[in-house]
Coordinates of all heavy atoms in Angstrom, one line a residue:
M529 N 87.6 97.8 117.4 CA 88.5 96.7 117.3 C 88.6 96.2 115.8 O 87.5 96.1 115.2 CB 88.1 95.5 118.2 CG 88.9 94.3 118.0 SD 88.8 93.0 119.2 CE 87.2 92.5 119.0
H530 N 89.8 96.0 115.3 CA 89.9 95.5 113.9 C 90.4 94.1 114.1 O 91.5 93.8 114.6 CB 91.0 96.3 113.2 CG 90.5 97.7 113.0 ND1 89.8 98.1 112.0 CD2 90.7 98.8 113.8 CE1 89.6 99.4 112.1 NE2 90.1 99.8 113.2
T531 N 89.6 93.1 113.6 CA 89.9 91.7 113.7 C 89.7 91.0 112.4 O 88.7 91.2 111.7 CB 89.0 91.0 114.8 OG1 89.1 91.7 116.0 CG2 89.3 89.6 114.9
I532 N 90.6 90.2 112.0 CA 90.5 89.3 110.9 C 90.7 87.9 111.4 O 91.6 87.6 112.1 CB 91.7 89.6 109.9 CG1 91.6 91.0 109.4 CG2 91.6 88.6 108.7 CD1 92.8 91.4 108.6
E533 N 89.7 87.0 111.1 CA 89.8 85.6 111.5 C 89.7 84.6 110.3 O 88.9 84.9 109.4 CB 88.7 85.3 112.5 CG 88.9 86.0 113.9 CD 87.9 85.6 114.9 OE1 87.4 84.5 114.8 OE2 87.6 86.4 115.7
T534 N 90.4 83.6 110.4 CA 90.2 82.5 109.4 C 90.0 81.2 110.3 O 90.2 81.2 111.4 CB 91.4 82.3 108.5 OG1 92.5 81.9 109.2 CG2 91.7 83.6 107.7
Q535 N 89.6 80.2 109.6 CA 89.3 78.9 110.3 C 90.5 78.4 111.1 O 90.3 78.0 112.2 CB 88.8 77.9 109.3 CG 88.1 76.7 110.0 CD 87.5 75.8 108.9 OE1 88.0 75.7 107.8 NE2 86.3 75.3 109.3
D536 N 91.7 78.3 110.5 CA 92.8 77.7 111.1 C 93.8 78.7 111.7 O 94.8 78.3 112.4 CB 93.5 76.8 110.2 CG 92.7 75.7 109.7 OD1 91.9 75.1 110.5 OD2 92.8 75.3 108.5
F537 N 93.6 80.0 111.4 CA 94.6 80.9 111.8 C 93.9 82.2 112.3 O 93.1 82.7 111.6 CB 95.5 81.3 110.6 CG 96.6 82.2 110.8 CD1 97.7 81.7 111.4 CD2 96.5 83.5 110.4 CE1 98.8 82.6 111.6 CE2 97.5 84.4 110.6 CZ 98.7 83.9 111.2
R538 N 94.2 82.6 113.5 CA 93.6 83.9 114.0 C 94.6 85.0 114.0 O 95.7 84.9 114.4 CB 93.1 83.6 115.4 CG 91.9 82.7 115.4 CD 91.5 82.5 116.8 NE 90.4 81.5 116.7 CZ 89.2 81.7 117.2 NH1 88.9 82.8 117.8 NH2 88.3 80.7 117.1
L539 N 94.1 86.1 113.5 CA 94.9 87.3 113.4 C 94.1 88.4 114.0 O 93.0 88.7 113.4 CB 95.3 87.6 111.9 CG 96.1 88.8 111.6 CD1 97.4 88.8 112.4 CD2 96.3 88.9 110.1
H540 N 94.5 89.1 115.0 CA 93.8 90.2 115.6 C 94.7 91.4 115.8 O 95.8 91.3 116.1 CB 93.3 89.8 117.0 CG 92.4 88.6 117.1 ND1 91.1 88.7 117.0 CD2 92.7 87.3 117.3 CE1 90.6 87.5 117.1 NE2 91.6 86.7 117.3
Y541 N 94.1 92.6 115.5 CA 94.7 93.9 115.8 C 93.7 94.5 116.8 O 92.5 94.8 116.3 CB 94.9 94.8 114.6 CG 95.5 94.1 113.4 CD1 94.8 94.0 112.2 CD2 96.7 93.5 113.5 CE1 95.3 93.4 111.1 CE2 97.3 92.8 112.4 CZ 96.6 92.8 111.2 OH 97.1 92.2 110.1
T542 N 94.0 94.8 118.0 CA 93.1 95.4 119.0 C 93.7 96.5 119.7 O 94.9 96.5 120.1 CB 92.8 94.3 120.0 OG1 92.4 93.1 119.4 CG2 91.7 94.7 120.9
L543 N 93.0 97.6 119.9 CA 93.4 98.7 120.7 C 92.8 98.5 122.1 O 91.6 98.4 122.2 CB 93.0 100.0 120.1 CG 93.9 100.6 119.1 CD1 93.2 101.7 118.4 CD2 95.2 101.0 119.7
E544 N 93.6 98.3 123.1 CA 93.2 98.2 124.5 C 93.8 99.4 125.3 O 95.0 99.4 125.6 CB 93.6 96.8 125.0 CG 93.0 95.7 124.4 CD 93.5 94.3 124.9 OE1 94.2 94.3 125.9 OE2 93.2 93.3 124.3
G545 N 92.9 100.4 125.5 CA 93.4 101.6 126.2 C 94.4 102.3 125.3 O 94.1 102.6 124.1
R546 N 95.7 102.4 125.7 CA 96.7 103.0 124.9 C 97.7 102.0 124.3 O 98.8 102.4 123.9 CB 97.4 104.0 125.8 CG 96.5 105.2 126.3 CD 97.2 106.2 127.2 NE 98.4 106.8 126.5 CZ 98.3 107.7 125.6 NH1 97.1 108.2 125.2 NH2 99.3 108.3 125.1
N547 N 97.3 100.8 124.2 CA 98.1 99.7 123.7 C 97.5 99.2 122.4 O 96.3 98.8 122.4 CB 98.4 98.6 124.7 CG 99.3 99.0 125.8 OD1 100.3 99.7 125.6 ND2 98.9 98.7 127.0
L548 N 98.3 99.0 121.4 CA 97.9 98.3 120.2 C 98.4 96.8 120.4 O 99.6 96.6 120.6 CB 98.6 98.8 119.0 CG 98.4 98.0 117.7 CD1 97.0 97.9 117.3 CD2 99.3 98.7 116.6
I549 N 97.5 95.9 120.4 CA 97.8 94.5 120.6 C 97.7 93.8 119.2 O 96.6 93.9 118.6 CB 96.9 93.8 121.6 CG1 96.7 94.6 122.9 CG2 97.3 92.3 121.9 CD1 98.0 94.8 123.7
V550 N 98.8 93.2 118.8 CA 98.8 92.4 117.6 C 98.9 91.0 117.9 O 99.9 90.6 118.5 CB 99.9 92.9 116.6 CG1 99.9 92.1 115.3 CG2 99.8 94.4 116.3
R551 N 98.0 90.1 117.6 CA 98.1 88.7 117.8 C 98.0 87.9 116.5 O 97.2 88.2 115.7 CB 96.9 88.2 118.7 CG 96.9 88.8 120.1 CD 95.7 88.2 120.9 NE 95.7 88.8 122.2 CZ 94.9 89.8 122.6 NH1 94.1 90.3 121.7 NH2 94.9 90.3 123.8
S552 N 99.0 87.0 116.4 CA 99.1 86.2 115.2 C 99.4 84.8 115.6 O 100.6 84.6 115.9 CB 100.1 86.8 114.2 OG 100.3 86.0 113.1
G553 N 98.4 83.9 115.6 CA 98.7 82.6 116.1 C 99.3 82.6 117.5 O 98.7 83.3 118.4
P554 N 100.4 82.0 117.8 CA 101.0 82.0 119.1 C 101.8 83.3 119.5 O 102.2 83.4 120.6 CB 101.9 80.8 119.1 CG 102.4 80.7 117.7 CD 101.2 81.1 116.9
F555 N 101.9 84.2 118.5 CA 102.7 85.4 118.7 C 101.8 86.6 119.1 O 100.7 86.7 118.7 CB 103.5 85.7 117.4 CG 104.3 84.6 117.0 CD1 103.9 83.8 115.9 CD2 105.6 84.3 117.6 CE1 104.7 82.7 115.5 CE2 106.3 83.3 117.1 CZ 105.9 82.5 116.1
R556 N 102.5 87.5 119.9 CA 101.8 88.7 120.4 C 102.7 89.8 120.5 O 103.8 89.6 121.0 CB 101.1 88.3 121.7 CG 100.4 89.5 122.4 CD 100.0 89.1 123.8 NE 99.6 90.3 124.5 CZ 98.4 90.4 125.1 NH1 97.5 89.5 125.1 NH2 98.1 91.5 125.8
W557 N 102.3 91.0 120.0 CA 103.1 92.2 120.1 C 102.2 93.2 120.9 O 101.0 93.3 120.6 CB 103.4 92.8 118.8 CG 104.3 92.1 117.9 CD1 105.6 92.3 117.7 CD2 104.0 91.0 117.1 NE1 106.2 91.4 116.9 CE2 105.2 90.6 116.4 CE3 102.8 90.2 116.8 CZ2 105.2 89.5 115.5 CZ3 102.9 89.2 115.9 CH2 104.1 88.9 115.3
T558 N 102.7 93.8 121.9 CA 102.0 94.9 122.7 C 102.8 96.2 122.4 O 104.0 96.3 122.8 CB 102.0 94.6 124.1 OG1 101.3 93.3 124.3 CG2 101.2 95.7 124.9
I559 N 102.2 97.2 121.8 CA 102.8 98.4 121.4 C 102.1 99.6 122.1 O 100.9 99.8 121.8 CB 102.9 98.6 119.9 CG1 103.5 97.4 119.3 CG2 103.5 99.9 119.5 CD1 103.3 97.3 117.8
D560 N 102.8 100.3 122.9 CA 102.2 101.5 123.5 C 102.1 102.5 122.4 O 103.1 102.8 121.6 CB 103.2 102.1 124.6 CG 102.6 103.3 125.3 OD1 102.1 104.2 124.6 OD2 102.8 103.4 126.5
V561 N 100.9 103.1 122.2 CA 100.7 104.0 121.1 C 101.7 105.2 121.1 O 102.0 105.8 120.1 CB 99.2 104.5 120.9 CG1 98.3 103.3 120.6 CG2 98.8 105.2 122.2
D562 N 102.1 105.6 122.3 CA 103.1 106.7 122.4 C 104.5 106.4 121.8 O 105.3 107.2 121.5 CB 103.2 107.2 123.8 CG 102.0 107.9 124.3 OD1 101.3 108.6 123.5 OD2 101.7 107.9 125.5
E563 N 104.7 105.0 121.7 CA 106.0 104.6 121.2 C 106.0 104.5 119.6 O 107.0 104.2 119.0 CB 106.4 103.3 121.8 CG 106.8 103.4 123.3 CD 107.3 102.1 123.8 OE1 107.7 101.2 123.0 OE2 107.4 102.0 125.0
I564 N 104.8 104.7 119.0 CA 104.8 104.6 117.6 C 105.4 105.8 117.0 O 105.1 106.9 117.3 CB 103.3 104.4 117.1 CG1 102.7 103.1 117.6 CG2 103.2 104.6 115.6 CD1 101.2 102.9 117.3
T565 N 106.4 105.6 116.2 CA 107.2 106.7 115.6 C 106.8 106.9 114.1 O 107.1 108.0 113.6 CB 108.7 106.4 115.6 OG1 109.0 105.2 115.0 CG2 109.2 106.4 117.1
G566 N 106.1 106.0 113.5 CA 105.7 106.2 112.1 C 104.8 105.1 111.6 O 104.9 103.9 112.1
V567 N 103.9 105.4 110.7 CA 103.1 104.4 110.0 C 103.1 104.7 108.6 O 102.9 105.9 108.2 CB 101.6 104.4 110.6 CG1 100.8 103.4 109.8 CG2 101.5 104.2 112.0
E568 N 103.5 103.8 107.8 CA 103.6 104.0 106.3 C 103.0 102.8 105.5 O 103.0 101.7 106.0 CB 105.0 104.2 105.9 CG 105.9 103.1 106.1 CD 107.4 103.4 105.8 OE1 107.7 104.6 105.6 OE2 108.2 102.4 105.7
K569 N 102.6 103.2 104.4 CA 102.0 102.1 103.4 C 103.2 101.3 103.0 O 104.3 101.8 102.7 CB 101.4 102.8 102.2 CG 100.5 102.0 101.5 CD 99.9 102.9 100.4 CE 98.7 102.2 99.7 NZ 98.2 103.0 98.7
A570 N 103.0 100.0 103.1 CA 104.1 99.0 102.7 C 103.5 97.9 101.9 O 102.9 97.0 102.4 CB 104.7 98.4 103.9
S571 N 103.5 98.1 100.6 CA 102.9 97.1 99.7 C 103.9 96.6 98.7 O 104.9 97.2 98.4 CB 101.6 97.7 99.0 OG 102.0 98.8 98.3
G572 N 103.6 95.5 98.1 CA 104.4 95.0 97.0 C 105.3 93.9 97.4 O 105.4 93.6 98.6
F573 N 106.0 93.4 96.4 CA 106.9 92.2 96.6 C 108.1 92.5 97.6 O 108.5 91.7 98.4 CB 107.4 91.8 95.3 CG 108.4 90.6 95.4 CD1 107.9 89.3 95.7 CD2 109.7 90.8 95.3 CE1 108.7 88.3 95.8 CE2 110.6 89.7 95.4 CZ 110.1 88.4 95.7
M574 N 108.6 93.7 97.6 CA 109.8 94.1 98.4 C 109.4 94.0 99.9 O 110.3 93.8 100.7 CB 110.3 95.5 98.1 CG 110.9 95.5 96.7 SD 112.2 94.4 96.4 CE 113.5 95.1 97.4
M575 N 108.2 94.1 100.3 CA 107.8 94.1 101.7 C 107.2 92.7 102.0 O 106.5 92.6 103.0 CB 106.7 95.2 101.9 CG 107.3 96.6 101.7 SD 108.8 96.9 102.6 CE 108.2 97.2 104.2
A576 N 107.4 91.7 101.2 CA 106.8 90.4 101.3 C 107.6 89.5 102.4 O 107.9 88.4 102.1 CB 106.7 89.7 100.0
R577 N 107.9 90.1 103.5 CA 108.5 89.3 104.5 C 107.5 88.8 105.5 O 106.3 89.2 105.5 CB 109.6 90.2 105.3 CG 109.0 91.3 106.1 CD 110.1 92.1 106.8 NE 109.5 93.1 107.5 CZ 109.7 93.3 108.8 NH1 110.5 92.6 109.5 NH2 109.0 94.3 109.5
S578 N 107.8 87.9 106.3 CA 106.9 87.3 107.3 C 106.4 88.3 108.2 O 107.2 89.1 108.8 CB 107.6 86.2 108.0 OG 106.7 85.6 109.0
S579 N 105.1 88.4 108.4 CA 104.5 89.4 109.3 C 103.1 89.0 109.6 O 102.5 88.1 108.9 CB 104.5 90.8 108.7 OG 103.6 90.8 107.6
P580 N 102.5 89.5 110.7 CA 101.1 89.3 111.0 C 100.1 90.1 110.1 O 99.4 90.9 110.6 CB 101.0 89.7 112.5 CG 102.0 90.7 112.6 CD 103.1 90.4 111.7
A581 N 100.2 89.8 108.9 CA 99.4 90.5 107.9 C 99.0 89.5 106.8 O 99.9 88.8 106.2 CB 100.1 91.7 107.2
L582 N 97.7 89.3 106.5 CA 97.3 88.3 105.6 C 97.3 88.8 104.1 O 97.1 88.1 103.2 CB 95.9 87.8 105.9 CG 95.8 87.1 107.3 CD1 94.4 86.7 107.5 CD2 96.7 85.9 107.3
S583 N 97.6 90.1 103.9 CA 97.6 90.7 102.6 C 99.0 91.3 102.4 O 99.7 91.7 103.3 CB 96.5 91.8 102.6 OG 96.7 92.6 101.5
L584 N 99.4 91.5 101.1 CA 100.6 92.2 100.8 C 100.4 93.7 100.8 O 101.2 94.5 100.6 CB 101.2 91.7 99.5 CG 101.8 90.3 99.5 CD1 102.3 90.0 98.1 CD2 102.8 90.2 100.5
D585 N 99.1 94.1 100.9 CA 98.7 95.5 101.0 C 98.7 95.9 102.5 O 97.7 95.7 103.2 CB 97.3 95.7 100.4 CG 96.9 97.2 100.2 OD1 97.9 98.0 100.2 OD2 95.8 97.5 100.1
R586 N 99.9 96.4 103.0 CA 100.1 96.4 104.4 C 100.4 97.8 104.9 O 100.8 98.7 104.1 CB 101.3 95.6 104.8 CG 101.2 94.1 104.4 CD 102.5 93.4 104.5 NE 102.3 92.0 104.3 CZ 103.2 91.1 104.3 NH1 104.5 91.5 104.6 NH2 103.0 89.8 104.1
L587 N 100.4 98.0 106.2 CA 100.9 99.2 106.9 C 102.0 98.7 107.7 O 102.0 97.7 108.5 CB 99.8 99.8 107.8 CG 98.6 100.4 107.2 CD1 97.6 100.8 108.3 CD2 99.0 101.6 106.3
R588 N 103.1 99.5 107.6 CA 104.3 99.2 108.5 C 104.2 100.2 109.7 O 104.2 101.4 109.5 CB 105.6 99.4 107.7 CG 106.8 99.2 108.5 CD 108.0 99.5 107.7 NE 109.2 99.5 108.5 CZ 110.3 98.8 108.3 NH1 110.4 98.0 107.3 NH2 111.3 99.0 109.1
I589 N 104.2 99.6 110.9 CA 104.1 100.4 112.1 C 105.5 100.4 112.7 O 106.0 99.3 113.1 CB 103.1 99.9 113.1 CG1 101.7 100.0 112.4 CG2 103.1 100.7 114.4 CD1 100.6 99.3 113.2
E590 N 106.2 101.5 112.8 CA 107.5 101.6 113.4 C 107.3 102.1 114.8 O 106.5 103.0 115.1 CB 108.4 102.6 112.6 CG 108.6 102.1 111.2 CD 109.5 103.0 110.4 OE1 109.8 104.1 110.9 OE2 109.7 102.7 109.2
Y591 N 108.0 101.5 115.8 CA 107.9 101.9 117.2 C 109.1 101.6 117.9 O 110.0 100.9 117.5 CB 106.7 101.1 117.8 CG 106.8 99.6 117.8 CD1 107.3 99.0 119.0 CD2 106.6 98.9 116.8 CE1 107.5 97.6 119.0 CE2 106.7 97.5 116.8 CZ 107.2 96.9 117.9 OH 107.4 95.5 118.0
G592 N 109.2 102.2 119.1 CA 110.4 102.0 120.0 C 111.7 102.4 119.3 O 111.8 103.3 118.5
R593 N 112.7 101.6 119.5 CA 114.1 101.8 119.0 C 114.3 101.0 117.7 O 115.0 99.9 117.8 CB 115.1 101.6 120.0 CG 115.1 102.5 121.1 CD 116.2 102.2 122.1 NE 116.6 103.4 122.8 CZ 117.6 103.4 123.6 NH1 118.3 102.4 123.8 NH2 117.9 104.5 124.2
G594 N 113.7 101.3 116.6 CA 113.9 100.6 115.4 C 113.1 99.4 115.2 O 113.3 98.6 114.2
A595 N 112.1 99.1 116.0 CA 111.2 97.9 115.9 C 110.1 98.3 114.9 O 109.7 99.4 114.7 CB 110.7 97.5 117.2
S596 N 109.6 97.3 114.2 CA 108.5 97.5 113.3 C 107.6 96.2 113.2 O 108.1 95.1 113.5 CB 108.9 97.9 111.9 OG 109.6 96.9 111.3
V597 N 106.4 96.4 112.9 CA 105.5 95.2 112.6 C 104.6 95.7 111.4 O 104.3 96.9 111.3 CB 104.7 94.8 113.9 CG1 103.8 96.0 114.3 CG2 103.9 93.6 113.6
M598 N 104.2 94.7 110.6 CA 103.4 95.1 109.5 C 102.0 94.4 109.7 O 101.9 93.3 110.2 CB 103.9 94.6 108.2 CG 105.1 95.5 107.7 SD 105.6 95.1 106.1 CE 106.7 93.8 106.3
V599 N 101.0 95.2 109.4 CA 99.6 94.8 109.6 C 98.8 95.0 108.3 O 99.2 95.8 107.5 CB 98.9 95.5 110.8 CG1 99.7 95.1 112.1 CG2 98.9 97.0 110.6
S600 N 97.6 94.4 108.2 CA 96.8 94.6 107.0 C 95.3 94.7 107.4 O 94.5 93.9 107.1 CB 97.0 93.5 106.0 OG 96.7 92.2 106.6
P601 N 95.0 95.8 108.1 CA 93.6 96.0 108.5 C 92.7 96.2 107.2 O 93.1 96.9 106.3 CB 93.6 97.2 109.4 CG 94.8 98.0 108.9 CD 95.8 96.9 108.5
R602 N 91.5 95.7 107.3 CA 90.6 95.9 106.1 C 90.3 97.4 105.9 O 90.2 97.9 104.8 CB 89.3 95.2 106.4 CG 89.4 93.7 106.2 CD 88.1 93.0 106.4 NE 88.3 91.6 106.3 CZ 87.5 90.7 106.9 NH1 86.4 91.1 107.5 NH2 87.8 89.4 106.8
D603 N 90.1 98.1 107.0 CA 89.7 99.5 107.0 C 90.9 100.3 107.5 O 91.0 100.6 108.7 CB 88.5 99.8 107.9 CG 88.1 101.2 107.9 OD1 88.7 102.1 107.2 OD2 87.2 101.6 108.8
R604 N 91.8 100.6 106.6 CA 93.0 101.4 107.0 C 92.7 102.7 107.6 O 93.4 103.1 108.6 CB 93.9 101.6 105.7 CG 94.7 100.5 105.2 CD 95.5 101.0 104.1 NE 96.3 99.9 103.5 CZ 97.3 100.1 102.8 NH1 97.7 101.3 102.5 NH2 98.0 99.1 102.3
A605 N 91.8 103.5 107.0 CA 91.5 104.8 107.5 C 90.9 104.7 108.9 O 91.3 105.4 109.8 CB 90.6 105.5 106.6
G606 N 90.0 103.8 109.1 CA 89.5 103.5 110.5 C 90.5 103.1 111.5 O 90.5 103.5 112.6
F607 N 91.4 102.2 111.0 CA 92.5 101.8 111.9 C 93.4 103.0 112.4 O 93.7 103.1 113.5 CB 93.3 100.7 111.1 CG 94.4 100.1 111.9 CD1 94.1 99.1 112.8 CD2 95.7 100.5 111.7 CE1 95.2 98.4 113.5 CE2 96.7 99.9 112.4 CZ 96.5 98.9 113.3
M608 N 93.7 103.8 111.4 CA 94.6 105.0 111.7 C 93.8 105.9 112.6 O 94.4 106.5 113.5 CB 95.0 105.7 110.4 CG 95.9 104.8 109.6 SD 97.4 104.4 110.5 CE 98.1 106.0 110.9
R609 N 92.5 106.2 112.4 CA 91.8 107.0 113.3 C 91.7 106.5 114.7 O 91.8 107.2 115.7 CB 90.3 107.2 112.7 CG 90.2 108.2 111.6 CD 88.8 108.6 111.3 NE 87.9 107.4 111.0 CZ 87.8 106.9 109.8 NH1 88.4 107.4 108.7 NH2 87.0 105.8 109.6
A610 N 91.6 105.2 114.8 CA 91.5 104.6 116.1 C 92.9 104.7 116.9 O 92.9 105.0 118.1 CB 91.2 103.1 116.0
I611 N 94.0 104.6 116.1 CA 95.3 104.8 116.8 C 95.5 106.2 117.2 O 95.9 106.5 118.3 CB 96.4 104.4 115.8 CG1 96.5 102.8 115.7 CG2 97.8 104.9 116.3 CD1 97.5 102.3 114.7
E612 N 95.1 107.2 116.3 CA 95.2 108.6 116.7 C 94.3 108.9 117.9 O 94.7 109.7 118.8 CB 94.8 109.5 115.5 CG 95.9 109.5 114.4 CD 97.2 110.0 115.0 OE1 97.3 111.0 115.8 OE2 98.2 109.3 114.7
A613 N 93.1 108.4 118.0 CA 92.2 108.6 119.1 C 92.8 108.1 120.4 O 92.8 108.7 121.4 CB 90.8 108.0 118.9
A614 N 93.5 106.9 120.3 CA 94.1 106.3 121.5 C 95.3 107.2 121.9 O 95.5 107.3 123.1 CB 94.6 104.9 121.2
R615 N 96.0 107.8 121.0 CA 97.1 108.6 121.3 C 96.7 109.9 122.1 O 97.4 110.5 122.9 CB 97.9 109.0 120.1 CG 98.6 107.9 119.5 CD 99.4 108.3 118.3 NE 100.7 108.8 118.8 CZ 101.8 108.9 118.1 NH1 101.8 108.4 116.9 NH2 102.9 109.4 118.6
K616 N 95.4 110.3 121.8 CA 94.9 111.5 122.4 C 94.3 111.3 123.8 O 94.1 112.2 124.5 CB 93.8 112.2 121.5 CG 94.4 112.7 120.3 CD 93.4 113.3 119.4 CE 94.0 113.8 118.0 NZ 92.9 114.2 117.1
Q617 N 94.1 110.0 124.2 CA 93.6 109.7 125.5 C 94.7 110.1 126.6 O 95.9 109.9 126.3 CB 93.4 108.2 125.7 CG 92.2 107.7 124.9 CD 92.0 106.2 125.1 OE1 92.7 105.6 125.8 NE2 91.0 105.7 124.4
P618 N 94.2 110.6 127.7 CA 95.2 110.9 128.8 C 95.9 109.6 129.2 O 95.3 108.5 129.3 CB 94.4 111.5 129.9 CG 93.0 111.5 129.4 CD 92.9 110.9 128.1
G619 N 97.2 109.7 129.4 CA 98.0 108.5 129.8 C 98.3 108.5 131.2 O 98.7 107.7 131.9

């Protein structure tokens, strides 16, 4: 599980079975790993839109029909390995 917490604001990225759960304050995204169509590095000012990422050094996860969410896990490589492992689990 990849979790970032601050005193007043909770931000969690969790893999539960075959679902990536992104929680940011009162907001929650549930993404089936099979619906992920791409993950790319998204950093810098041009990607500085509101998202559940505490850093501008982000990953953009594209899923479904044109949906996307940006995250900023501390361990990008470990996060990606965890997503790939979840995709290989029998569904």
Side-chain angles (χ1 to χ4, degrees):
M529 171 167 67
H530 296 271
T531 302
I532 299 172
E533 292 186 27
T534 65
Q535 195 171 32
D536 298 322
F537 184 78
R538 290 181 185 234
L539 179 58
H540 299 273
Y541 315 121
T542 309
L543 276 167
E544 296 177 8
R546 298 181 57 76
N547 289 317
L548 171 62
I549 311 296
V550 178
R551 292 183 183 99
S552 177
F555 303 102
R556 176 184 167 128
W557 294 260
T558 301
I559 304 165
D560 183 319
V561 294
D562 288 330
E563 291 186 15
I564 294 175
T565 58
V567 179
E568 64 185 12
K569 200 175 189 181
S571 60
F573 179 73
M574 294 302 289
M575 299 306 283
R577 66 180 181 126
S578 179
S579 71
L582 295 178
S583 167
L584 290 181
D585 190 20
R586 302 170 175 180
L587 292 175
R588 178 183 168 128
I589 299 173
E590 296 177 359
Y591 63 97
R593 292 181 152 187
S596 69
V597 64
M598 287 192 276
V599 298
S600 58
R602 286 184 186 154
D603 177 8
R604 281 185 185 197
F607 183 81
M608 292 302 301
R609 282 191 303 273
I611 288 176
E612 285 304 314
R615 292 182 81 154
K616 291 178 182 175
Q617 290 179 0

